[in-house]
Amino acid sequence: MIHIASLGYRFGSRVALDGVTFGVAAGELFGLLGPNGSGKSTLLRILTSLRRPSQGEAAIDGCDVASRPAEVRRRLGVAFQSPSLDKKLSVEENMRFQGYLFGMRGRALAERVDELLENFGLQDRRKERAETLSGGLKRRVELAKALLHGPRVLLLDEPSTGLDPAARRDFWEVLGAMRGRDELTVLVATHLMDEAERCDRVALLDQGRLVALGKPGALKDRIGGETVSVETAQPALLAKKIEDRLGLKTRLAGESVRVDSPDAAGTARKLLDAFGAEVQAVRVGRPTLEDVFLTLTGRGLDAGEEEAP
Ligand code: ADP
Ligand code: MG
């Protein structure tokens, strides 16, 4: 349903996307995971035909984005990072104006608005101005609005930024229900590993390059059994000692030193025996997608640059 081949994009001399290739199947929930500045928003903008690729091609449902932008836009629902509601208008008016943009009118539009407000549990809010809604409800209206014209593909950019944990769960539940109702293909860009964990497949993006692609479980299995995470006052120093004295490979993640091991409990014991005095806490756990990202790139997901202007 989404086809991307050797996609490249440059802002002047700065490379934002560098030869990215992947496909998303119909009905799939696909995640694009990478830190700030890795090129996620640029890729989504190219898919909406807001930007023309410098190199390579992209297509939605067989329609090339550069040469058939109008057909592409009809097939796409989009919820971008910056809020898209008109805050002085009511929920219903926001929905209706979105319909006008897509050439919907009269009874058909009114029925479709009703159906979506119903599905999204927004019926009792329809007369309220957008600015009076909580962050979670606003996001729900944005999602309903994006789906108004019945797109087959939904693009979401950092959908739970600014939402509290309860609103975040609510958002994913509503999205799950929508995916069950219509066959919807969803591409979600995020720098949060727990969002990516919910996806059927994930592409890891680092500095405009695709560094891995697969099911979250399979990506985590690649880096082996379990991860021992050691908290210490001087992570770099301890990492070096662990490597020198125990011959184990380490990685740094914030204030902690990570060691991947098929026998994590045994390794944790060894680390405590050898360096107990320097260790504040030891945790053993399955690796996360952030561990995968760290292993592949040497960087964490928060380590990206600041948001582009
Ligand atoms: P992400 O969404 O993953 O944070 P972006 O696609 O926004 O990444 O940015 C990718 C790269 O392109 C970054 O290096 C960013 O600084 C740069 N970039 C993004 N937008 C612009 C712009 N309008 N002008 C110049 N550089 C930009
Ligand atoms: Mg972005």
Side-chain angles (χ1 to χ4, degrees):
M1 188 60 67
I2 303 176
H3 163 84
I4 287 169
S6 307
L7 201 64
Y9 193 86
R10 239 175 267 117
F11 290 98
S13 61
R14 174 177 258 175
V15 178
L17 287 174
D18 189 2
V20 174
T21 299
F22 66 87
V24 181
E28 205 172 13
L29 172 56
F30 191 96
L32 205 54
L33 178 66
N36 277 338
S38 55
K40 306 180 297 294
S41 295
T42 303
L43 193 146
L44 294 192
R45 289 223 161 77
I46 291 174
L47 288 178
T48 59
S49 68
L50 285 171
R51 293 194 188 285
R52 262 185 109 87
S54 318
Q55 170 208 315
E57 55 182 34
I60 302 288
D61 195 15
C63 301
D64 181 69
V65 296
S67 59
R68 296 162 71 185
E71 286 157 273
V72 165
R73 283 180 198 191
R74 263 203 304 280
R75 287 166 168 77
L76 280 183
V78 180
F80 275 168
Q81 234 164 324
S82 44
S84 67
L85 298 181
D86 191 322
K87 56 187 182 182
K88 297 291 175 198
L89 296 181
S90 72
V91 168
E92 185 179 357
E93 287 163 337
N94 266 287
M95 300 282 287
R96 210 151 5 96
F97 283 118
Q98 174 79 0
Y100 296 155
L101 283 180
F102 281 90
M104 300 167 77
R105 295 283 183 274
R107 205 194 169 88
L109 175 57
E111 282 174 5
R112 179 70 179 153
V113 169
D114 278 347
E115 181 189 345
L116 280 160
L117 292 177
E118 186 67 47
N119 291 347
F120 280 80
L122 291 165
Q123 277 291 17
D124 54 337
R125 308 290 183 135
R126 64 190 299 154
K127 300 289 180 207
E128 286 176 34
R129 275 203 222 173
E131 65 187 350
T132 66
L133 302 177
S134 68
L137 279 176
K138 275 189 201 133
R139 203 53 62 89
R140 241 200 261 179
V141 178
E142 281 166 7
L143 193 53
K145 201 180 125 180
L147 294 174
L148 190 75
H149 63 290
R152 306 193 57 192
V153 177
L154 183 63
L155 305 181
L156 301 171
D157 199 354
E158 307 272 4
S160 59
T161 300
L163 298 188
D164 60 43
R168 226 175 248 192
R169 265 197 308 280
D170 174 78
F171 177 86
W172 282 96
E173 261 166 42
V174 170
L175 182 65
M178 288 318 290
R179 287 182 62 223
R181 201 167 285 127
D182 314 314
E183 191 183 73
L184 200 57
T185 306
V186 184
L187 176 59
V188 48
T190 182
H191 71 284
L192 302 171
M193 63 172 182
D194 50 319
E195 267 186 345
E197 298 270 359
R198 296 169 180 272
C199 296
D200 299 322
R201 286 191 306 149
V202 183
L204 302 188
L205 206 59
D206 179 47
Q207 301 184 332
R209 266 186 295 253
L210 192 81
V211 291
L213 188 155
K215 294 193 167 81
L219 290 174
K220 290 184 281 190
D221 286 346
R222 269 205 224 167
I223 64 170
E226 291 180 316
T227 300
V228 185
S229 176
V230 185
E231 270 168 51
T232 176
Q234 290 176 294
L237 191 66
L238 183 62
K240 184 161 180 349
K241 286 190 196 168
I242 293 172
E243 300 218 337
D244 290 349
R245 281 205 242 153
L246 301 181
L248 295 169
K249 203 165 167 307
T250 66
R251 330 185 239 114
L252 293 174
E255 293 303 293
S256 70
V257 182
R258 306 259 168 101
V259 181
D260 299 323
S261 164
D263 170 26
T267 302
R269 226 170 296 120
K270 245 189 253 167
L271 290 172
L272 278 172
D273 286 346
F275 308 105
E278 292 153 78
V279 170
Q280 290 160 351
V282 176
R283 248 188 308 274
V284 172
R286 286 257 298 149
T288 64
L289 281 175
E290 174 142 39
D291 292 318
V292 177
F293 194 86
L294 260 166
T295 307
L296 292 171
T297 67
R299 274 184 291 278
L301 287 167
D302 290 325
E305 56 178 54
E306 290 303 299
E307 276 299 294

